[in-house]
């Protein structure tokens, strides 16, 4: 075998101390080390390299973090990270649709409503998928898209809003919480098929949750109540999103093309 064939890398022109990828024998140890470093730094491996996609995938995982930084052991989604991503997706002409995947326990009410309002105000087609759970303030985010899916085994917990920390025991505190709750109710009922009466019945139901007021709604029940559009997963969501993108392409300012 020639010396060129056993060489695992050559010096890259113009780059000091770096080597090119091997042409004959791949450096498996280097690949494994790169993957390990990616997991350590980002908590994930590299995405499949299938070319640049026209769909932007956004994940809302763990607890939605608001103005207060949560402990480091909590898995969180920071709303100050999500908002610039949504603005960039709206401005990028190569992105034609957004897929939002949720598995969240809820979190900060105003941060969750801010993310939900931004998703609802996007001009590009949007689809949400609830896998695992879309609880508490994750409910408005789940219904904010143009079309929503929920996995058959997923659940959504609907309950009144809560306050933590120092609470002043005056009537104004109760009125403030009631107004905050009405914001959530109005948003959910205006972006889904569920009625306000049904949503409040689920929110204030007793005996359903242990030591709490509210209801845990399963995937099929969420569709039955009109909260979500369909039971399905990633495949159905992408299929629906692609059809919405194709439909949007046929519509122009001059009308619908034949």
């Amino acid at each position: 075998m020639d010396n060129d064939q056993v060489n695992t890398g050559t010096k890259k022109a113009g780059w000091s101390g770096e080597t090119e990828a091997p042409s004959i024998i791949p450096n498996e140890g280097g690949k494994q080390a790169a993957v390990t470093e990616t997991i350590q730094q980002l908590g994930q491996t590299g995405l499949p390299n299938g070319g640049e996609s026209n769909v932007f995938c956004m994940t809302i995982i763990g607890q939605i973090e608001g103005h207060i930084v949560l402990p480091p052991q909590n898995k969180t989604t920071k709303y100050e990270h999500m908002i610039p991503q949504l603005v960039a997706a709206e401005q990028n002409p190569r992105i034609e649709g957004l897929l939002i995947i949720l598995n969240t326990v809820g979190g900060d009410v105003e941060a969750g409503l801010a993310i939900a309002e931004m998703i609802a105000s996007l001009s590009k087609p949007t689809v949400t998928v609830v896998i695992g759970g879309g609880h508490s303030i994750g409910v408005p985010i789940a219904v904010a898209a143009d079309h929503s899916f929920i996995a058959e085994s997923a659940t959504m917990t609907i309950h009144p809003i809560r306050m933590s920390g120092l609470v002043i025991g005056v009537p104004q505190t109760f009125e403030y919480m009631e107004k905050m709750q009405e914001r959530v109710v109005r948003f959910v009922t205006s972006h889904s098929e569920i009625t306000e009466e049904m949503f409040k019945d689920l929110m204030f139901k007793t005996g359903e949750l242990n030591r709490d007021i509210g209801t845990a709604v399963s995937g099929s029940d969420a569709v039955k109540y009109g909260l979500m559009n369909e039971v399905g997963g990633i495949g159905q969501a992408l299929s629906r999103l692609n059809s919405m993108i194709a439909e949007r392409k046929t519509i122009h300012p001059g009308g619908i093309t034949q």
Side-chain angles (χ1 to χ4, degrees):
M1 184 179 292
D2 295 333
N3 292 332
D4 294 338
Q5 292 180 326
V6 298
N7 186 17
T8 60
T10 58
K11 290 288 182 179
K12 185 185 296 185
W15 296 85
S16 174
E18 295 187 4
T19 59
E20 292 180 329
S23 57
I24 301 299
I25 302 176
N27 189 352
E28 296 295 337
K31 288 183 179 180
Q32 188 174 0
V35 171
T36 303
E37 183 179 359
T38 306
I39 295 174
Q40 291 174 346
Q41 297 296 327
L42 304 177
Q44 63 183 16
T45 59
L47 296 176
N49 186 15
E52 189 172 357
S53 175
N54 65 333
V55 173
F56 179 69
C57 180
M58 171 178 287
T59 56
I60 299 176
I61 307 296
Q63 192 166 348
I64 298 170
E65 186 178 273
H67 303 296
I68 299 176
V69 178
L70 295 173
Q73 66 268 20
N74 289 29
K75 185 175 287 295
T76 62
T77 295
K78 301 178 185 294
Y79 82 106
E80 69 269 23
H81 293 174
M82 309 304 292
I83 291 175
Q85 290 185 51
L86 289 167
V87 174
E90 175 71 13
Q91 289 183 317
N92 191 339
R94 292 191 296 271
I95 295 175
E96 299 176 324
L98 285 86
L99 178 68
I100 300 102
I101 302 174
L102 292 95
N103 187 9
T104 176
V105 296
D108 188 276
V109 175
E110 289 195 337
L113 282 177
I115 296 172
E117 288 283 6
M118 288 202 67
I119 293 173
S121 62
L122 293 172
S123 64
K124 299 178 181 181
T126 54
V127 172
T128 53
V129 184
V130 175
I131 55 172
H135 308 292
S136 191
I137 201 60
V139 175
I141 300 175
V143 304
D146 299 325
H147 202 82
S148 57
F149 287 86
I150 182 169
E152 189 174 357
S153 61
T155 57
M156 304 177 77
T157 303
I158 303 169
H159 63 79
I161 65 170
R162 309 184 185 98
M163 292 185 68
S164 60
L166 178 63
V167 178
I168 302 175
V170 293
Q172 290 84 348
T173 301
F174 173 76
E175 292 174 4
Y176 171 76
M177 291 184 65
E178 192 174 32
K179 289 179 180 178
M180 287 283 291
Q181 195 162 275
E182 284 299 320
R183 290 169 61 187
V184 175
V185 173
R186 283 199 306 269
F187 185 91
V188 172
T189 54
S190 62
H191 289 85
S192 66
E193 299 298 324
I194 194 170
T195 63
E196 182 176 343
E197 182 181 3
M198 174 61 72
F199 189 71
K200 286 186 175 180
D201 286 345
L202 296 173
M203 179 179 286
F204 297 111
K205 189 174 181 180
T206 58
E208 180 80 14
L209 301 179
N210 184 25
R211 296 181 299 174
D212 199 0
I213 300 173
T215 308
V217 181
S218 63
S220 58
D221 287 339
V223 177
K224 181 180 70 175
Y225 294 139
L227 193 60
M228 304 291 283
N229 294 123
E230 293 184 54
V231 174
I234 302 300
Q236 293 92 331
L238 282 173
S239 177
R240 175 69 180 182
L241 183 58
N242 287 327
S243 65
M244 292 167 64
I245 292 172
E247 182 180 354
R248 185 172 184 261
K249 286 181 179 179
T250 63
I251 300 176
H252 299 281
I256 300 177
T257 59
Q258 297 295 326

